[in-house]
Amino acid sequence: MEIGRIGFGTWGIGGGYWKADYTKDKEEIEAMKYWLSKGIRTIDTAEMYGGGHTEELVGEAIKREVRDDVFIISKVWSNHLHYEDLIKSGKASAKRVGTFLDLYLIHWPNDQVPLCESIRALETLVESGIARHIGVSNFDVPHLREALSCTRKYEIFANEIKYNYFYREPEKDIIPFCEENKIKVIAYEPLEKGAAARVGLKEALSYIMKRTVPIPKSSNKAHIDEIVNAVSGHS
Ligand SMILES: NC(=O)c1ccc[n+]([C@@H]2O[C@H](COP(=O)([O-])OP(=O)(O)OC[C@H]3O[C@@H](n4cnc5c(N)ncnc54)[C@H](OP(=O)(O)O)[C@@H]3O)[C@@H](O)[C@H]2O)c1
């Protein structure tokens, strides 16, 4: 399966910054299954979220899905960007999710580690079947240019950045650069943490879906319904 026109995020599910929270596992798995049942089948997660527990919950939510009917994105944290560390992180994420990753991203750039070393590790993960596509997150244009110069066998598939109805800064240079270089843009915090509901989800999401793939987060079925209704005809 290819990436959807819209996906859903998992930040705050199963814990926070490198810290697991097991208290709401059942409800969180239910909420993710609800997204899937509504036809939103692109899922964004990361090794940092809940210190890996979020990926475990994603694994639970997709357990009974046909593998090719979901598109899973995960990310390697910026302290794991040396070659061996990145390989280890990619394998551990795939193990927690219980399957290969459709897209594996460098979560944040880290100028202490040569970017080409990290890209080489990402390419190795594709060769070994751990990831299908590689990409980056929070990369500005200079970082993107460098990343493009490092690839040998695989394209930079996507750049995941903050972008929403209220925050349009990326329209100045990052989005045009990605479009010129056929890099998909994934929009995180697409609801500006829920504030988008105030202008109307339909307007807020339609606006950013013209050029990007938003990944809103919600663990609330009524909110998920609102989002799904707002984008019906888009996904
Ligand atoms: N790459 C990166 O560096 C990066 C950084 C930040 C985020 N992300 C990814 O992007 C995803 C989305 O970003 P985000 O979660 O930070 O922010 P967001 O999607 O803009 O907003 C999420 C918040 O909005 C609320 N919400 C959802 N639907 C709503 C509705 N219909 N009405 C009112 N409130 C609503 C949610 O609460 P309920 O759960 O109660 O609905 C949640 O508190 C993350 O989950 C994560 O996967 C990536």
Side-chain angles (χ1 to χ4, degrees), residues 5 163 179 203 205-212 214 234:
R5 299 263 350 261
Y163 179 54
E179 287 171 346
E203 186 172 351
L205 286 170
S206 300
Y207 180 78
I208 59 175
M209 284 172 80
K210 287 186 201 139
R211 298 174 85 177
T212 68
H234 273 294

Side-chain angles (χ1 to χ4, degrees), residues 29-41:
I29 293 166
E30 277 309 306
M32 286 191 275
K33 284 186 172 172
Y34 193 67
W35 277 109
L36 293 167
S37 75
K38 295 284 170 182
I40 311 290
R41 310 188 67 86

Side-chain angles (χ1 to χ4, degrees), residues 7-13 28 31 35 43-46 48-49 54 73 75 77 105-108 136-138 159-164 186-198 201 205 214-228:
F8 63 90
T10 60
W11 168 244
I13 290 177
E28 298 290 19
W35 277 109
I43 311 172
D44 179 77
T45 190
M48 178 270 276
Y49 298 177
T54 311
I73 307 167
K75 321 183 198 75
W77 194 240
L105 309 176
I106 295 174
H107 206 145
W108 286 90
V136 296
S137 177
N138 299 300
N159 184 23
E160 183 174 308
I161 53 168
K162 175 169 172 161
Y163 179 54
N164 62 49
I186 300 171
Y188 75 67
E189 293 180 23
L191 306 176
E192 186 65 62
K193 300 281 182 192
R198 289 204 301 271
L201 290 176
L205 286 170
I215 45 165
K217 180 266 167 187
S218 179
S219 304
N220 173 312
K221 287 186 182 176
H223 286 169
I224 295 170
D225 283 339
E226 283 170 23
I227 295 168
V228 170

Side-chain angles (χ1 to χ4, degrees), residues 114-125:
L115 183 53
C116 290
E117 179 180 339
S118 311
I119 300 280
R120 194 163 58 83
L122 287 176
E123 294 198 313
T124 302
L125 288 172

Side-chain angles (χ1 to χ4, degrees), residues 3 13 19 23 45 91 104 123 131 149 151 178 196 200-201 208:
I3 192 165
I13 290 177
K19 193 170 179 345
T23 57
T45 190
K91 286 183 176 169
Y104 195 43
E123 294 198 313
S149 78
T151 54
C178 287
L201 290 176
I208 59 175

Side-chain angles (χ1 to χ4, degrees), residues 99-171:
T99 180
F100 60 87
L101 308 168
D102 293 281
L103 175 59
Y104 195 43
L105 309 176
I106 295 174
H107 206 145
W108 286 90
N110 174 355
D111 293 333
Q112 305 301 309
V113 180
L115 183 53
C116 290
E117 179 180 339
S118 311
I119 300 280
R120 194 163 58 83
L122 287 176
E123 294 198 313
T124 302
L125 288 172
V126 178
E127 275 162 5
S128 54
I130 300 290
R132 281 178 61 222
H133 299 289
I134 62 172
V136 296
S137 177
N138 299 300
F139 271 41
D140 59 13
V141 169
H143 280 113
L144 285 168
R145 276 189 211 286
E146 193 184 347
L148 288 173
S149 78
C150 292
T151 54
R152 291 289 168 265
K153 287 185 77 171
Y154 303 103
E155 308 290 327
I156 300 293
F157 182 87
N159 184 23
E160 183 174 308
I161 53 168
K162 175 169 172 161
Y163 179 54
N164 62 49
Y165 189 82
F166 305 103
Y167 180 73
R168 301 183 182 188
E169 193 70 15
E171 291 173 6

